[in-house]
Amino acid sequence: MDTPKVVLGVSGGIAAYKACELLRRLTESGHDVRVVPTASALHFVGAATWSALSGHPVSTEVWDDVHEVPHVRIGQHADLVVVAPATADMLAKAAHGLADDLLTNTLLTARCPVVFAPAMHTEMWEHPATQENVATLRRRGAVVIEPAVGRLTGVDTGKGRLPDPGEIFEVCRRVLARGVREPDLAGRHVVVSAGGTREPLDPVRFLGNRSSGKQGYALARTAAARGARVTLVAANTGLPDPAGVDVVQVGTAVHLREAVLKAAADADAVVMAAAVADFRPETYTAGKIKKKDGKEPDPIVLVRNPDILAELSADRARADQVVVGFAAETDDVLANGRTKLRRKGCDLLVVNEVGERRTFGSEENEAVVLGADGSETPVPHGPKEALAEIVWDLVTRRLS
Ligand SMILES: Cc1cc2nc3c(=O)[nH]c(=O)nc-3n(C[C@H](O)[C@H](O)[C@H](O)COP(=O)(O)O)c2cc1C
């Protein structure tokens, strides 16, 4: 394939400096990047920086190099346009089709996928005008990633922060790989659980498992790149928040259940990729459990944790909600998977073989996706992201 051509639109938000890092990531990974800042963006980062980092001339207006008709050409030749940060003003202009500078003209002439990474104060983001503009852009097929929550300009904190540039880069990479295909999860809300629960014994010890959360994060990232609103319920992963994803951190199975059920109330699909402990210690000791001289330790009594997957499947928040489970098996993988699918009552069960050195923590996975309709989709050994795409393909088929 030729070098992919990316237009990086930068509008006038305080986070414009973070777009320099996104630009570096894009150029260093072999993309030809043309930066199109707005006049306001140049108040934050100068044209010299964009030009030197991208290796291309930079202008904000349609009146430079008119013989090359840049207001049409740049958009027409792009494989991807990403606007980061996208100001409230830029979202409004894009939603209404205004074309009063080079970036807004480019947005109208581009026929490739378009990603907006909005960043602004919480009030601006939550304003009905902005929300309606975002809904319009999403309806037309743009991927608008949710801003992150955190420190804003000055001392304020809240939703509106530009996600980490590395994570925006991941969205761009996935959207580019999908090409002009419709973001088929646009308008959908999906919930993904990831990681492994920890069931505390005392303030310093817990019963846990080896799940890293990487498969769940791959599911969250791919769903965001396919246009979904994503809630990721993360249990003890220590991984960076994916761009455009609402992350809810939890610790135990009971916390995970609460968070998943709450988010599932208006979800189109729920994918339970987290490794949830089946049992937890019956008692929690408030002080650290001490060795007693000459005595054997007290046995640990376990009690059952709630079966979240079975509960979600039985009491669906919406009749058309798609519920997906994961089954990690160490032996008799397929037979155990089929029994589990029937017992849990979910629509799809991703069955994979695990062991001390298999799957957990690795970047790769191999699985069979069993359907309640009797279907079997083998997924060959490959990146967790590839498995995630197949899961969403199967989910979207059931949603439509
Ligand atoms: C210091 C400062 C920081 C700003 N940060 C943001 C921001 O983060 N998001 C936003 O939507 N607007 C922000 N604005 C307002 C925009 O710069 C303003 O709406 C401008 O007209 C946007 O123009 P553009 O969309 O053409 O880039 C900021 C303004 C100033 C002075």
Side-chain angles (χ1 to χ4, degrees):
M1 185 188 166
D2 295 343
T3 308
K5 289 190 171 49
V6 176
V7 173
L8 171 59
V10 184
S11 50
I14 194 81
Y17 72 95
K18 292 189 188 170
C20 301
E21 171 69 18
L22 176 60
L23 172 56
R24 283 208 84 108
R25 297 241 179 179
L26 287 164
T27 52
E28 282 169 11
S29 55
H31 301 85
D32 178 18
V33 189
R34 178 88 197 231
V35 183
V36 184
T38 63
S40 299
L42 295 187
H43 285 289
F44 295 96
V45 179
T49 302
W50 302 122
S51 189
L53 288 178
S54 68
H56 285 294
V58 161
S59 63
T60 61
E61 303 304 325
V62 294
W63 308 113
D64 298 328
D65 303 315
V66 175
H67 62 288
E68 288 176 1
V69 211
H71 74 287
V72 178
R73 287 282 160 75
I74 294 176
Q76 277 178 338
H77 288 110
D79 297 303
L80 174 78
V81 178
V82 50
V83 185
T87 55
D89 175 66
M90 183 51 59
L91 296 172
K93 284 179 173 164
H96 290 84
L98 299 192
D100 61 355
D101 66 2
L102 189 55
L103 179 54
T104 45
N105 275 271
T106 300
L107 286 168
L108 286 183
T109 50
R111 292 294 174 269
C112 58
V114 179
V115 174
F116 290 93
M120 63 200 70
H121 263 80
T122 312
E123 292 84 347
M124 292 175 91
W125 172 249
E126 288 177 346
H127 195 286
T130 305
Q131 287 301 307
E132 278 171 33
N133 292 330
V134 168
T136 301
L137 292 167
R138 283 183 174 150
R139 202 170 51 247
R140 290 194 198 128
V143 173
V144 185
I145 56 184
E146 291 285 310
V149 177
R151 183 86 186 258
L152 304 170
T153 322
V155 293
D156 302 356
T157 54
K159 187 162 184 170
R161 208 176 138 81
L162 189 74
D164 180 69
E167 292 296 327
I168 302 175
F169 169 73
E170 287 300 318
V171 174
C172 294
R173 204 169 59 73
R174 283 176 177 80
V175 172
L176 254 175
R178 285 184 62 75
V180 284
R181 277 185 289 166
E182 279 286 290
D184 53 2
L185 287 169
R188 304 288 190 180
H189 176 210
V190 303
V191 180
V192 177
S193 71
T197 61
R198 289 181 182 176
E199 310 299 323
L201 283 155
D202 69 14
V204 292
R205 303 184 182 92
F206 57 83
L207 297 180
N209 60 65
R210 294 177 189 273
S211 178
S212 65
K214 287 180 180 170
Q215 183 62 64
Y217 277 58
L219 281 154
R221 287 198 177 94
T222 45
R226 289 168 78 150
R229 175 161 76 85
V230 185
T231 305
L232 174 65
V233 179
N236 311 299
T237 62
L239 298 172
D241 291 353
V245 168
D246 288 325
V247 183
V248 184
Q249 303 284 353
V250 296
T252 64
V254 169
H255 291 148
L256 188 134
R257 174 181 172 276
E258 270 170 33
V260 167
L261 292 187
K262 186 167 172 226
D266 70 345
D268 296 282
V270 185
V271 181
M272 288 288 292
V276 182
D278 292 326
F279 307 103
R280 65 176 181 276
E282 185 181 41
T283 49
Y284 171 76
T285 310
K288 187 180 167 198
I289 301 169
K290 294 265 191 293
K291 269 188 283 196
K292 291 179 206 149
D293 282 344
K295 284 194 186 161
E296 289 301 312
D298 292 334
I300 296 169
V301 179
L302 299 176
V303 293
R304 286 191 84 95
N305 265 329
D307 186 336
I308 309 169
L309 182 57
E311 185 177 350
L312 277 168
S313 305
D315 309 324
R316 301 198 189 211
R318 291 168 32 175
D320 56 352
Q321 189 173 70
V322 179
V323 179
V324 184
F326 270 69
E329 301 287 347
T330 49
D331 42 32
D332 245 348
V333 177
L334 275 188
N336 284 335
R338 280 195 198 93
T339 313
K340 188 165 177 179
L341 175 68
R342 275 192 297 276
R343 200 174 64 238
K344 302 282 185 180
C346 50
D347 301 293
L348 294 165
L349 190 73
V350 184
V351 189
N352 54 20
E353 192 172 347
V354 293
E356 283 204 20
R357 275 178 294 280
R358 295 190 67 159
T359 302
F360 287 132
S362 131
E363 302 299 334
E364 300 190 326
N365 212 342
E366 181 179 345
V368 178
V369 188
L370 303 177
D373 54 3
S375 62
E376 250 178 46
T377 312
V379 185
H381 189 82
K384 288 185 169 173
E385 203 172 290
L387 172 59
E389 294 283 11
I390 290 170
V391 170
W392 293 124
D393 287 346
L394 295 168
V395 167
T396 44
R397 229 169 280 163
R398 279 157 181 81
L399 284 171
S400 55

